[in-house]
Amino acid sequence: MTSEGSTSIILEDLTQPLQAFRTHLENVRDRVVFQSPVPSLCKSEECIVGIDEAGRGPVLGPMVYGISYCVKSNDDTLKKLGCADSKSLTEEKREYIFTRLCGETEHCGWAVDIISPMHISNCMLRRQKYSLNEISHGSAIALIKLLQSKGVNVCEVYVDTVGPPEKYEEKLSKIFPNISIKVSKKADAIYPIVSAASICAKVIRDLTLKNWNFSEKVKINQENGWGSGYPGDPVTKTFLAENMDHVFGFPKIVRFSWSTADVILKENAAPVEWSDDEDNVDENTTTITSFFNSSNKPSTHIFFKDRNLETVNFL
């Protein structure tokens, strides 16, 4: 089982995990899940699981959800690998730990859900809104179900929260009643298994951005690139302004649903008028709601009229 509409790819050979991932980057279109092979020991022994994300806030690039798992009796391996909050580690250190994690093929595994900017924008801008929190929750739930479908013996799950931790924990516990769930703020700094998930997500997001294949003609600053990708970054704002098409908007790397992008579009793009189907409805057409109006109630039978009988709501 994978996230709705996503492609799932198992990276069988992880002797060089970064290179293995790069060879599959052309498959990253709307949404794709990459996963390591499941160790046989993880199917027979109880496993702890960690979940975290990378790239929630930027206006550029995908959001990546990572899930890591390890045989509970071998969880000290994660500490030996140096698993810590990915934001406190250098890029080189993260890649080093990720490579070593991929080498722990007997009792550890991982998966990442790469959610493209286009997918995020489509969800958040559709008529029936689907918020970023809902996208995040949906990804975490789908990743847990993915492990279960692969036979991983999941006994404990630790999650870095999105929104109020109590409500999120209650939500997950209802879906997975037989699993011990713990949702916490800054869980990646508390639980090494969540740190491992955070590192997986961050490494894969960074690789995706570095190797982004633009199908559009873009202007990129040779010195600063597109900056950090965060809305408040002046370099990122310049990238957005210089790469906005008057009619088609931004390249696919941009999240159209972010307010930063929306403001630039409103100020510089061609105005668009969207016609609503309701505006074209024939005036003589009977709407379905009209059948529920009080004026359409059946008339009182003559038997009741002759006897001056009326319905009442109380005595």
Side-chain angles (χ1 to χ4, degrees):
M1 178 178 292
T2 57
S3 302
E4 184 180 352
S6 66
T7 301
S8 182
I9 299 173
I10 300 176
L11 300 178
E12 297 288 356
D13 184 4
L14 288 172
T15 52
Q16 293 182 308
L18 303 184
Q19 183 58 38
F21 173 75
R22 289 189 186 98
T23 60
H24 290 282
L25 278 176
E26 67 275 8
N27 295 300
V28 180
R29 291 291 184 268
D30 183 47
R31 193 166 185 173
V32 60
V33 173
F34 288 95
Q35 54 186 300
S36 66
V38 177
S40 57
L41 198 61
C42 291
K43 297 180 180 181
S44 58
E45 300 288 332
E46 289 188 335
C47 292
I48 57 173
V49 173
I51 299 175
D52 199 6
E53 51 77 26
R56 178 179 170 83
V59 66
L60 301 180
M63 177 171 69
V64 179
Y65 253 80
I67 189 167
S68 61
Y69 54 97
C70 178
V71 173
K72 188 175 181 179
S73 58
N74 292 96
D75 63 345
D76 58 332
T77 300
L78 302 172
K79 294 180 181 179
K80 293 177 182 178
L81 290 176
C83 291
D85 179 7
S86 65
K87 293 183 286 295
S88 67
L89 302 172
T90 64
E91 181 178 350
E92 292 75 17
K93 186 66 173 178
R94 287 193 296 266
E95 290 185 354
Y96 172 74
I97 295 173
F98 177 69
T99 300
R100 290 192 63 192
L101 181 65
C102 291
E104 298 290 336
T105 56
E106 292 186 3
H107 43 75
C108 291
W110 56 269
V112 290
D113 181 12
I114 306 176
I115 309 169
S116 73
M118 183 181 295
H119 184 91
I120 294 171
S121 298
N122 288 343
C123 287
M124 296 181 68
L125 294 176
R126 67 191 188 187
R127 180 166 295 199
Q128 186 175 353
K129 304 297 183 185
Y130 194 65
S131 70
L132 192 63
N133 279 7
E134 290 173 306
I135 297 172
S136 300
H137 289 186
S139 178
I141 292 165
L143 286 172
I144 297 173
K145 289 181 177 180
L146 173 64
L147 296 193
Q148 291 182 321
S149 71
K150 297 295 182 181
V152 178
N153 186 9
V154 180
C155 68
E156 298 174 10
V157 176
Y158 299 89
V159 186
D160 193 53
T161 194
V162 174
E166 297 80 10
K167 290 184 178 181
Y168 192 11
E169 184 174 309
E170 181 182 4
K171 178 179 181 178
L172 291 176
S173 296
K174 287 181 179 179
I175 298 172
F176 305 103
N178 297 321
I179 299 175
S180 173
I181 306 284
K182 180 62 179 177
V183 178
S184 308
K185 293 180 179 179
K186 299 185 177 181
D188 51 347
I190 302 172
Y191 307 105
I193 192 66
V194 181
S195 303
S198 176
I199 290 169
C200 291
K202 181 63 175 171
V203 167
I204 298 304
R205 174 178 152 81
D206 287 347
L207 282 173
T208 303
L209 284 173
K210 281 183 180 180
N211 295 274
W212 191 271
N213 183 22
F214 285 97
S215 57
E216 314 89 353
K217 292 183 179 179
V218 296
K219 297 178 182 178
I220 302 178
N221 186 300
Q222 294 299 318
E223 183 178 351
N224 299 315
W226 50 60
S228 66
Y230 280 86
D233 187 337
V235 178
T236 299
K237 288 183 177 180
T238 299
F239 172 83
L240 291 172
E242 292 181 348
N243 290 284
M244 189 215 71
D245 185 271
H246 190 62
V247 175
F248 298 105
F250 298 108
K252 293 178 182 177
I253 197 172
V254 179
R255 302 179 189 179
F256 281 62
S257 51
W258 258 232
S259 60
T260 305
D262 185 50
V263 169
I264 294 174
L265 286 175
K266 287 179 178 178
E267 292 178 349
N268 301 285
V272 179
E273 292 184 9
W274 300 98
S275 61
D276 197 311
D277 292 339
E278 295 178 2
D279 295 338
N280 301 319
V281 175
D282 188 339
E283 293 181 358
N284 297 319
T285 301
T286 303
T287 63
I288 191 169
T289 54
S290 66
F291 292 100
F292 301 96
N293 293 339
S294 58
S295 59
N296 290 321
K297 290 182 179 180
S299 58
T300 305
H301 193 276
I302 188 66
F303 174 86
F304 298 99
K305 287 183 177 180
D306 289 345
R307 292 163 179 75
N308 294 319
L309 297 175
E310 296 179 0
T311 57
V312 295
N313 296 320
F314 58 89
L315 297 176

